Amino acid sequence: MALEVLERRPEGRVGREALTIVGRKTLRKDAVAKVTGRELYASDITLPNMLYARVLKSPYPHARVKSIDVSKAVEMGAVVITSQDVPQVLFNPRLVSIPEATYKDWRVLTDRPLFVGEPIAAVAAETEELAQRALEAIKVEYERLPAVFDAIESMKPEAPKLHETIILKDREVKVERNVACRLEIAEGDVEKGFKEADVVIEREFRTNRRYHNQLETKAVVVNLEPGGGVTIWCTTQTIHNTRLLIHEIFGIPMNKINVKKISLGGSFGSSIHTNIIVPIAVALALKAGRPVKLVYTREEDMHDHVSFQMIFRLKLGAKRDGRLVAGQLQAIVDIGAHQIQAYPILGVIAGWWVSLYKLPHVKYEGIAVYTNKVPSCAFRGYGNPQTTWAVETLIDELAEKLGIDPLEFRLMNYVGEGDIFWGQGPTVKTVIRSCGVEELLRRGAELIGWHRRPKPGQQKGRFRRGIGMGRGFHTSSAGSPVPGSVIDYSGAMIKINEDGTIDYITALMDHGGGSLEAIAKIIAEELGVPLENVNIITADTQTTVYDVCTHASRGVYAGGATALKVARQVKQKLLEMAAKILDTYPHALRIRPDPKRGQGVIYVEGIEGKEITIGEVAMTARHKNWGTIAAVDSHRTEAGPPHFTAYFVEVEVDTETGIVKPIRVVAGADIGTVINPDLARGQIHGGFAMGMGMALLEDTPYDPDTGDLVNRGFLVDYKTASAPDMPRLKDFTVFFAETYEPTGPFGAKGLGEGAFNPAAAAIANAIYNAIGVRFYELPITPEKILQALRGGGENV
Amino acid sequence: MEIEFTLNGVRKRVQVEPNELLLNVLREKLYMTGTKYGCGIGECGACTVLLDGEPVLSCLVLAADVDGREVTTIEGLARGEELDEVQKAFVEEGAVQCGFCTPGFIITAKSLLMENPNPSEEEVREYIKGNLCRCTGYMNIVKAILRAAGVIPQTP
Ligand code: FES
Ligand code: FES
């Protein structure tokens, strides 16, 4: 697989004017199926002779299973598995990093549960109800063990130990003080840096533990194939890594594991790893010898995945003239009971941090700590929204202390074009080649009326309004000029059918954001065919080449670059054949979409009559036995460029109820060439709603007595933004910067995570502007606001 | 027990347990999987269907209770390939992302527009507040409903 630099195109608008499909509003291809209820999701699959499964989960946060009696359940006709019936291997359900960066501490079923909700046993029966009754008939005797729910407590010598040893690659690692892993980075001389600084501020920040609340709960259906193979439909962001993990656990040959691509009802990181129900369902199906379906309830789902929670100690120093000189960050990350991507997150937190503002001297320490809670996994932004919230809060404070407009302070210090960007921690670095930060900040400030915002803390009356900003970015893929510790490449196959229609076959998933829609447009643009002619094929692991995962906002950028590379190979073959037919040369030919004929037409410029449709070429190729016009390839992008975003938010704080309402939003995004304008706007709307949840609403606290979630997994007590919480249509402005990313397909970058990352920071800064109080703990609930106001406006 | 009801204009007869929920009967027995499970406790709206023209949460309705009545699910809105106005507006206004909440929203929107053909933006927001969407931030959904009502024009 060669590293390939995509053809450079002219900067800015000039290059885009020639585009006929990219950048236009088009209707998404899967929309009709989705609005008519015909789109299938994993939980919609039903197979003949299928059994329904349920999982028995630990009611205790830490325990040892002393005995387990399944006889009653078996008598009832259920198939039962316990930890004795599954392969005794330790694994990590996330296979995005290389083995040297993947710590393993999971089992399919355990007899030493480490959180409320950890699977102990599972049953399969003719109906879901029978499965449930069989589950209730299983008798388990537990020995309760002491548990710990706070990362700082967990590191104390007297804290209960969760893991003795875990596995890194093939070697055993002893776990000391519940520290799962750690990472230290230093550049420059931070002590010297702080000495040079005129102003230094240090704060401690504590983030919330947010539940993804993707609308579709985790689901899996497993079919058994003759000869010991399995076919799997499941909620996943990566069909190929699901296949690899099932192979790793069960030893089934890879070519006998077929994971089917199926629509995903949202994910936001909760299925970057293979959800634990997948190996459970495979084990059940193997034992039962029949297909098995397992769908989690919402309550079970809330005990299955959650965001990382961080305690940051952040210190920044600046010169009086506004130059930042030094920064120090300690990140203590509560990862819950098992590692999903604990080591990688320590790296990316450092990366997000140093890529926001230029810091000549930095020191970083990241510590990932086990606690007896639901295991944490990626959640849109992968540590970036948390880091950005802390940094953007402190930057605001520093600016105020220096007497510099926070907007200008940011412009003086941001990491931009020509600087180094750590797209995925210290091993994935890229030179920034496109950057619209200044445009985003200047235009956003003008649109919101930044310079007319009130002075913090000066307002009176019940309803107080304030304006705040937060800026940020996310990477587009984990691509880089050298391999790094994160795997990042895509695959695509494109073939031309004999009527000139195109099939695009890829393992890349679309979670709903529209990555595949955008890629279809990239292909249509390159091949010069009407968009309707490009078909996104439902595929599976048996019919596709590897694609790492849809995460890291890589779909459009890396998946699109791969499709473009393959489309060019197909185009070359197509033009060679057309040249033979038209008696000319491939490089003398052009293609244009001809909507009237519903075809792409290949022609020689200026010479009449020398033209032929793509369908005619493909059909001729068939009749002359030249073969199918198709290509398949893998591709690794040589960069992982940042896409930049900025939020300007006006909030209204009700000082009697403590309720904060965002009433006006201006959101700017630099995503290079905008391929799908309306879907891109939709990503930003959704990102803001999630940011509102992070800033104001969402958390999953634990009850130390039961060791369970305070809300016990009930959605009634996990509030996310609903329609009336959002600003009015006319008060939500989205704009895009005029940039062009030279390494991206037609100049495009990613968006999914940047759309979310700085939203919470902007809301928090707006609250400060309204009431003059800063909050260092999320979410900023009405109670905290009232308490702060009663306390006379002290920062909390 | 056996119940008989009209589902999207077709008479259906089906064996159900007395404690069985309409949502499960639709999905598991009649293979009408357009109606989605999101919470099972009336919190998300993904399971919304019309019962005798009124919106109900099918995760809270006993199948036995629909005996002799009329149920409309998302599968019952389009006439063949021709989409209903609300469906069309959802497609054209970018109101669909992952699509898992979409059937519930469209059914809720249908019911709103039957009650109130000219809703204001505030009325739309209020009416759909029981439906959760984690992808869209609701903006394009609100837009699509207003547009289907003819209150605002199609976005170019
Ligand atoms: S599934 Fe019925 S309201 Fe959520
Ligand atoms: S479109 Fe995904 S939940 Fe609404």
Side-chain angles (χ1 to χ4, degrees), chain A residues 215 265-266, chain B residues 95-102 105 132-136 141:
Chain A
L215 252 274
Chain B
V96 179
Q97 287 191 28
C98 80
F100 207 78
C101 70
T102 307
F105 269 102
L132 289 185
C133 173
R134 195 61 154 161
C135 301
T136 64
I141 293 177

Side-chain angles (χ1 to χ4, degrees), chain A residues 25 41 44 52 298 721 728, chain B residues 28 36 38 92 98 122 138:
Chain A
K25 179 179 165 169
Y41 301 80
D44 297 332
Y52 290 83
R298 179 59 65 187
R728 294 168 56 102
Chain B
E28 303 288 334
K36 300 298 183 200
E92 289 170 1
C98 80
E122 257 47 58
Y138 308 98

Side-chain angles (χ1 to χ4, degrees), chain A residues 50 156 199 250 349 409 555 587 613 637 745:
Chain A
M50 183 179 86
K156 293 188 174 156
V199 180
F250 294 95
I349 291 170
F409 187 49
H587 52 276
T613 67
T637 55

Side-chain angles (χ1 to χ4, degrees), chain A residues 25 28 34-35 41 43-44 52 211-212 297-298 511-512 682-683 685-686 698 720-721 723 727-729, chain B residues 27-28 33 36-38 41 43 74 87 92 96-99 121-122 125 134-140 155:
Chain A
K25 179 179 165 169
R28 57 186 298 159
K34 285 177 174 174
V35 298
Y41 301 80
S43 55
D44 297 332
Y52 290 83
Y211 165 60
H212 302 76
T297 64
R298 179 59 65 187
H511 316 164
Q683 286 285 296
H685 298 150
E698 299 177 29
T720 53
R728 294 168 56 102
L729 293 176
Chain B
R27 290 181 51 82
E28 303 288 334
T33 53
K36 300 298 183 200
Y37 165 88
I41 55 168
E43 273 295 305
I74 189 71
Q87 291 174 315
E92 289 170 1
V96 179
Q97 287 191 28
C98 80
E121 185 177 334
E122 257 47 58
R125 284 175 197 283
R134 195 61 154 161
C135 301
T136 64
Y138 308 98
M139 303 302 282
N140 290 351
T155 311

